[in-house]
Amino acid sequence: MPQQITNVFTRLFSAIREFTVAQRTLALIGLAGVIVALVALAMWATRPQMQPLYTDLAPADAAAIVDQLAANGVQYQLTNGGSTILVPSGQVYDQRLKVASSGISPSAEGGYSLLDNMGMTSSDFQQNVTYKRALEGEIAKTITAMNGIEVASVQLAMPEDTVFVSQSADPTASVFVKPKAGVTLADDQVAAITQFVSAAVEGMKVENVAVIDSDGQVLSAMGGSGTHGTNLKETQQYEQRIAASLQGMLDRILGNGMAVVSVTAELDFDATERVSESYDSNEDALPLTERETTEEYTGTGNAAGVLGPDNIAVPEGQTDGNYTNTSSERNNAVDKTTERIVTAPGTVRRQSVSVAVDQQAAATININDLQAMVTAAAGIDEERGDTVTVTRMAFDDTTAQAAAEALTAAEAEAAEAAQMEMYRNLGIAAIALVSIIALSIVAAARRRRNRMPQQVEQEALDLGEVELAPVPAYNAAAELEQLEFPEMPELPAAPDDKALRAEKKRQDVVTLADEDPKQMAEILNEWISTGGRS
């Protein structure tokens, strides 16, 4: 093994031997955590990637496919309540072919696939029943595909065809739905179900579809308009919109919480249609057709006279006469107006608005002016019977005061908690700073102790062995004789190896006592108990 690697391991083992018991425990726990993480990562990396083999399976089909996969020795997983089967991604298409070759056809349950097995000798009754079952299956599959629906079942009541139109009945449908866990069907979803079923069956009306959930609640009753609570929802939305508008206006005038608004509305959801025709002629317009006829007659003739007794005419003799007859016919242009008025559902039939204002806040406000403002803002129409009432009343402010006190107390607690948190953080920061300074001092002292043997070795050099540079004597001999040199101090003797080893052991003992006093105490107790022989 190379020397560098050996040195690394040596330093590592030396550092581990210097660990305390607590440090060794933490190191073992960390090493175990790393090993567990590596094992989990390896298991996750080697786990096969799963993909859906079939989804939205019936329980019978899922059981058959699971038996087939178990017989083939293929790993699988069941999800989505057992309706989805997952297999390794590399075996999806292979297993689909094997399932198809075994005769299992998950997608062939119900629906129009029932018509594939009908023979040529089937009777009309069998054909009608099979067609009704196929239609029920197709509708149920589509409803099941909606979000939030786990199971759906459809029952159709199809009347027999008859030649008597007056005796024909309308088809009806009953839909059973089971929502998924924790899901509640909204009114829009129920309306979508009824609309879909009525459109899928010829001649079926929306009001002839009943929807029932798994809890036995009627979501859509027979004979309804198909709105399924939409009317009530729209009424509530209208009331809330008007109340919010009035409340916002009053809050700006009186202040927040100084007025209470209540709106009750009655909406008309009946769709009506009215057709009216009116005729009008324009006198200045030219006629479409005009005809004038004149008859004239001139001559003599026998007059019939007057009737006498027994209805016998009494002649009066001959008379001469002229006859003229003029007639005119005119067809004038007539304007025809046809008006078709369709009233959409949702118009306001009647509404009532009640406003209560705080007596103190509205003391300086004219109540009649305030009522006029509310009337205009709410769109009150007296002709249709709308009413509006504005009243001054003394409000109960005990709850508001209690809420204000609670809010003040909560703010004070929050401020105190924030202050305590600040103090705690400052304490932690101070402790951390002191710890860092203490560690820095200990590290510096340790470095100084480690450098002491080197300094001792440097002081142990024999200065007598150092040769002085030669000085020229041609001009300095006389001067050197005249100079007085001070006495040189004696150099300390160099310590021997035994003294150095003793000093090193002493420094190690001091270092161990500083770093781990507990371990030092244990060593001293053991040394005393053995009589200093260890």
Side-chain angles (χ1 to χ4, degrees):
M1 183 177 296
Q3 185 64 29
Q4 295 179 351
I5 299 178
T6 304
N7 294 336
V8 171
F9 281 106
T10 302
R11 289 194 297 269
L12 179 62
F13 291 148
S14 300
I16 293 174
R17 282 194 297 268
E18 293 179 359
F19 284 176
T20 62
V21 178
Q23 292 175 344
R24 293 178 182 177
T25 304
L26 292 177
L28 290 176
I29 294 174
L31 182 60
V34 172
I35 293 173
V36 171
L38 291 176
V39 172
L41 181 61
M43 294 178 62
W44 176 81
T46 57
R47 186 181 61 181
Q49 187 70 23
M50 308 297 284
Q51 288 186 359
L53 180 65
Y54 289 105
T55 59
D56 298 331
L57 292 174
D61 292 336
I65 294 175
V66 165
D67 293 340
Q68 180 71 22
L69 295 176
N72 296 336
V74 179
Q75 182 182 1
Y76 64 89
Q77 293 180 1
L78 295 177
T79 59
N80 197 15
S83 61
T84 301
I85 300 177
L86 304 178
V87 296
S89 57
Q91 301 182 8
V92 173
Y93 302 105
D94 185 19
Q95 293 304 318
R96 285 181 182 176
L97 295 176
K98 290 183 179 180
V99 171
S101 63
S102 63
I104 303 174
S105 181
S107 61
E109 181 185 3
Y112 290 125
S113 60
L114 296 175
L115 303 177
D116 298 336
N117 300 326
M118 292 186 60
M120 298 180 59
T121 59
S122 300
S123 62
D124 292 341
F125 175 77
Q126 291 177 340
Q127 292 179 1
N128 293 333
V129 172
T130 305
Y131 173 74
K132 186 173 77 70
R133 289 178 56 198
L135 186 59
E136 292 173 350
E138 290 295 330
I139 296 175
K141 284 183 179 180
T142 306
I143 295 176
T144 306
M146 296 177 62
N147 292 331
I149 296 179
E150 182 177 355
V151 178
S153 176
V154 180
Q155 302 295 329
L156 300 178
M158 309 289 292
E160 296 181 358
D161 296 335
T162 178
V163 296
F164 300 101
V165 179
S166 60
Q167 298 179 0
S168 61
D170 295 332
T172 60
S174 176
V175 181
F176 172 83
V177 293
K178 180 182 179 182
K180 294 181 180 179
V183 176
T184 301
L185 296 181
D187 296 337
D188 297 339
Q189 291 178 297
V190 178
I193 292 175
T194 56
Q195 293 288 341
F196 170 73
V197 174
S198 63
V201 180
E202 182 180 2
M204 182 174 292
K205 299 179 181 179
V206 177
E207 56 267 21
N208 292 336
V209 179
V211 182
I212 302 96
D213 64 359
S214 57
D215 295 333
Q217 297 181 357
V218 179
L219 304 179
S220 175
M222 292 284 295
S225 61
T227 55
H228 318 289
T230 306
N231 297 349
L232 178 61
K233 185 177 180 180
E234 291 182 0
T235 302
Q236 293 176 350
Q237 290 179 351
Y238 175 80
E239 294 175 350
Q240 293 173 1
R241 185 173 68 252
I242 298 298
S245 177
L246 295 176
Q247 189 69 51
M249 180 186 68
L250 294 175
D251 288 343
R252 295 291 299 274
I253 298 174
L254 303 175
N256 293 331
M258 297 302 174
V260 179
V261 180
S262 177
V263 178
T264 301
E266 181 182 354
L267 303 185
D268 186 6
F269 293 97
D270 297 333
T272 59
E273 180 178 357
R274 184 180 64 183
V275 179
S276 61
E277 294 182 357
S278 60
Y279 299 90
D280 188 15
S281 61
N282 189 359
E283 296 179 356
D284 297 334
L286 297 176
L288 297 177
T289 59
E290 186 176 5
R291 185 177 61 178
E292 184 176 352
T293 304
T294 303
E295 296 181 358
E296 296 182 356
Y297 178 76
T298 304
T300 60
N302 295 325
V306 297
L307 294 178
D310 298 329
N311 293 329
I312 298 175
V314 178
E316 295 181 353
Q318 295 181 352
T319 60
D320 297 332
N322 296 326
Y323 172 78
T324 302
N325 182 19
T326 301
S327 62
S328 62
E329 180 181 354
R330 178 181 295 178
N331 293 326
N332 296 321
V334 179
D335 296 336
K336 178 181 179 182
T337 303
T338 301
E339 185 179 9
R340 181 172 177 268
I341 301 175
V342 178
T343 303
T347 58
V348 179
R349 183 179 296 172
R350 183 178 178 274
Q351 69 174 346
S352 302
V353 179
S354 177
V355 179
V357 297
D358 184 56
Q359 188 172 1
Q360 297 179 356
T364 59
I365 296 178
N366 189 349
I367 199 68
N368 294 327
D369 296 341
L370 187 62
Q371 183 171 353
M373 293 176 59
V374 172
T375 302
I380 299 298
D381 188 359
E382 296 181 356
E383 295 181 357
R384 65 187 181 192
D386 296 351
T387 59
V388 58
T389 303
V390 180
T391 308
R392 289 194 185 99
M393 300 185 69
F395 282 15
D396 184 11
D397 57 351
T398 56
T399 304
Q401 291 179 359
E405 293 176 357
L407 181 60
T408 304
E411 292 178 353
E413 292 179 358
E416 184 178 358
Q419 188 176 7
M420 294 300 295
E421 182 71 16
M422 182 183 66
Y423 289 158
R424 187 177 66 86
N425 294 334
L426 291 176
I428 294 174
I431 294 173
L433 181 60
V434 170
S435 301
I436 293 173
I437 294 174
L439 291 176
S440 301
I441 294 173
V442 171
R446 187 172 182 180
R447 285 195 298 269
R448 286 197 300 271
R449 286 194 297 269
N450 292 334
R451 287 197 299 267
M452 286 181 63
Q454 298 178 1
Q455 294 176 359
V456 172
E457 292 178 359
Q458 292 176 359
E459 292 176 357
L461 293 176
D462 188 4
L463 298 180
E465 297 178 358
V466 179
E467 296 181 357
L468 298 177
V471 179
Y474 60 92
N475 59 356
E479 295 180 2
L480 288 175
E481 292 178 357
Q482 297 176 0
L483 293 177
E484 296 180 358
F485 294 95
E487 296 181 358
M488 298 294 294
E490 296 182 359
L491 296 176
D496 54 1
D497 295 339
K498 185 176 181 180
L500 291 176
R501 286 194 299 270
E503 180 65 19
K504 183 65 170 64
K505 289 182 180 181
R506 189 181 67 81
Q507 293 296 334
D508 293 341
V509 171
V510 174
T511 303
L512 181 60
D514 292 339
E515 294 180 353
D516 195 350
K518 185 177 179 181
Q519 185 178 1
M520 186 64 187
E522 293 177 357
I523 294 174
L524 290 176
N525 290 333
E526 183 180 359
W527 183 72
I528 293 172
S529 61
T530 56
R533 292 187 300 272
S534 57

